[in-house]
Amino acid sequence: MKTVIGNEKDLERAARVLRDGGLVVFPTETVYGLGGNALDSGAAEKIYAAKGRPSDNPLIVHLADAHEAEKYAHTNSLFYRIAERFMPGPLTVILPKRDIIPLSVTGGLDTVALRVPSNVIARRLIELSGLPIAAPSANISGKPSPTKASHVIHDLDGRVDMIIDGGDCDIGLESTIVRIDGEDALTLCRPGAVTCEQLSELCGRVNIDKAVTEKLADCERPIAPGMKYRHYAPSCPVILIDGEHGKAVEYIKERADKHTGVMCFDCDMSEFLRAGLTVSLGAIGDADAHAHRLFDALRVFDGREDIERVYSFLPDKSGISFAVFNRLIKAAGFHTEKV
Ligand code: TXA
Ligand code: MG
């Protein structure tokens, strides 16, 4: 499929496709989104079909401006405190929905997830469409979210009406998701570039849903249904090494052979000479770079049949590293080894 670059003419055409009930992939500052009209059940069904996604996993509704939230959800003062600081930006807020949002978009829930992206192409497209746009990440269900147009083409070529290529996504991990629990309490359902530390400055109580850090028992339900699914994993197992960096390097080195993949940092690249494939996430302390590169790295391993296992370090839980931690433990199916 031919991609377009998102000039004004392309975006007018894309907006028309959305108004006619079609699907358009567009860049955002987090990851690429697979968009359709959020007021149209038929478009929502097409999105689920294109992704191969279970229809009980709700879609995020993207708006051009936070004030439009009022049309689609019941807001409160905490919502506006959060919106003023973080919208537009990489944050999604869950609120009680209004009837205009079909249940097919919210996976049958009486809440809706709202986000105002900051990427200029995304914002202009939403504005031109005149619609709220339902958009999950533009990957086949279960795979890492796409951070480059080539990832989208790999997963969705021929399954959507249009793909807009906006280059690499700035952040590279999906938005932070919070549920508003009252005037001064919220629950973090998925960590992202808007960090827990930042949210705590605005809100007295920030709870963290158990599904963010732990494997749930079969009878337990995460707040964000998507958090229960196996996610992000390449075709081979991922193993996370939990411990001091030098010790973790030694541990992996002892086990590395030509069927081993290693995800590490720039300073480690010459350590794993016996490994089949070594990929760096960037300089060791540069958490933004790790976030930016993670999904591309996981996709590189996914394409390699000779690699039977991938080792990576377990990130710490501060700032945006918490989001990298969350995606990696999901990719690893919670498999960690302590050194
Ligand atoms: O950065 C992002 O958020 C990207 C871009 C495209 O905006 N979108 C994205 O969407 O990551 P998706 O569908 O891949 O992930 C949305 C998550 C899922 O885990 C879903 O279960 C949760 O949001 N979610 C959506 N609506 C919800 C609701 N009403 N209540 C609880 N969780 C909800
Ligand atoms: Mg997704």
Side-chain angles (χ1 to χ4, degrees):
M1 174 181 282
K2 208 169 141 301
T3 60
V4 298
I5 55 166
N7 58 29
E8 188 70 7
K9 232 165 128 203
D10 291 337
L11 294 182
E12 276 165 14
R13 203 151 57 84
R16 231 173 5 253
V17 170
L18 290 169
R19 280 196 301 275
D20 290 344
L23 303 185
V24 175
V25 175
F26 60 94
T28 83
E29 69 279 19
T30 58
V31 301
Y32 276 81
L34 165 54
N37 177 359
L39 304 178
D40 175 0
S41 285
E45 273 150 33
K46 280 194 206 166
I47 291 175
Y48 289 114
K51 269 183 75 85
R53 175 171 180 155
S55 59
D56 68 345
N57 188 1
L59 309 175
I60 294 176
V61 175
H62 295 67
L63 308 175
D65 187 287
H67 287 99
E68 284 178 40
E70 217 55 66
K71 291 194 232 165
Y72 309 112
H74 300 278
T75 62
N76 71 356
S77 64
L78 178 56
F79 171 77
Y80 281 104
R81 284 207 312 276
I82 290 176
E84 202 171 302
R85 170 105 184 256
F86 297 116
M87 291 183 168
L91 180 74
T92 297
V93 177
I94 298 172
L95 290 163
K97 81 174 194 72
R98 292 191 192 271
D99 290 344
I100 187 171
I101 298 288
L103 286 167
S104 52
V105 167
T106 66
L109 299 175
D110 56 7
T111 52
V112 63
L114 298 179
R115 158 156 143 75
V116 182
S118 61
N119 175 287
V120 288
I121 293 177
R123 294 196 75 187
R124 186 70 184 137
L125 174 64
I126 300 166
E127 255 166 32
L128 286 171
S129 74
L131 293 167
I133 301 299
S137 50
N139 50 286
I140 289 288
S141 193
K143 291 292 168 199
S145 297
T147 58
K148 299 170 182 285
S150 59
H151 299 159
V152 176
I153 293 165
H154 178 270
D155 280 18
L156 295 179
D157 197 12
R159 291 168 171 254
V160 295
D161 298 298
M162 216 170 148
I163 297 174
I164 303 171
D165 182 348
D168 287 9
C169 297
D170 285 346
I171 294 169
L173 295 180
E174 309 89 338
S175 61
T176 303
I177 303 180
V178 296
R179 184 185 67 186
I180 303 262
D181 293 334
E183 299 296 341
D184 200 32
L186 52 81
T187 301
L188 179 80
C189 309
R190 182 175 72 184
V194 171
T195 63
C196 274
E197 293 87 338
Q198 289 174 316
L199 291 165
S200 300
E201 289 168 16
L202 279 187
C203 178
R205 247 192 42 229
V206 178
N207 305 308
I208 297 176
D209 191 36
K210 191 175 166 192
V212 171
T213 52
E214 287 173 54
K215 189 173 184 166
L216 298 186
D218 285 346
C219 58
E220 291 179 299
R221 294 268 163 274
I223 296 171
M227 296 290 277
K228 81 180 168 212
Y229 294 106
R230 186 171 152 77
H231 225 143
Y232 311 121
S235 39
C236 60
V238 176
I239 303 161
L240 301 178
I241 309 306
D242 178 9
E244 188 266 317
H245 185 68
K247 277 194 196 160
V249 169
E250 288 310 314
Y251 186 88
I252 297 171
K253 250 164 113 172
E254 280 163 21
R255 286 157 181 80
D257 63 19
K258 65 180 183 173
H259 298 298
T260 305
V262 185
M263 228 175 346
C264 61
F265 305 122
D266 291 349
C267 57
D268 309 318
M269 284 300 280
S270 57
E271 297 280 0
F272 307 109
L273 298 176
R274 285 193 318 231
L277 179 62
T278 307
V279 176
S280 172
L281 294 181
I284 188 163
D286 188 350
D288 289 336
H290 309 162
H292 186 75
R293 294 192 193 175
L294 179 67
F295 287 156
D296 187 50
L298 287 169
R299 280 179 180 262
V300 169
F301 291 114
D302 193 37
R304 287 281 295 254
E305 280 179 10
D306 55 325
I307 300 297
E308 293 172 0
R309 73 199 81 82
V310 175
Y311 285 106
S312 176
F313 308 115
L314 187 70
D316 69 56
K317 295 184 190 165
S318 66
I320 196 173
S321 285
F322 190 34
V324 178
F325 170 96
N326 167 262
R327 304 315 188 270
L328 271 173
I329 54 169
K330 301 237 165 234
F334 294 87
H335 183 168
T336 61
E337 291 177 13
K338 198 142 182 83
V339 292

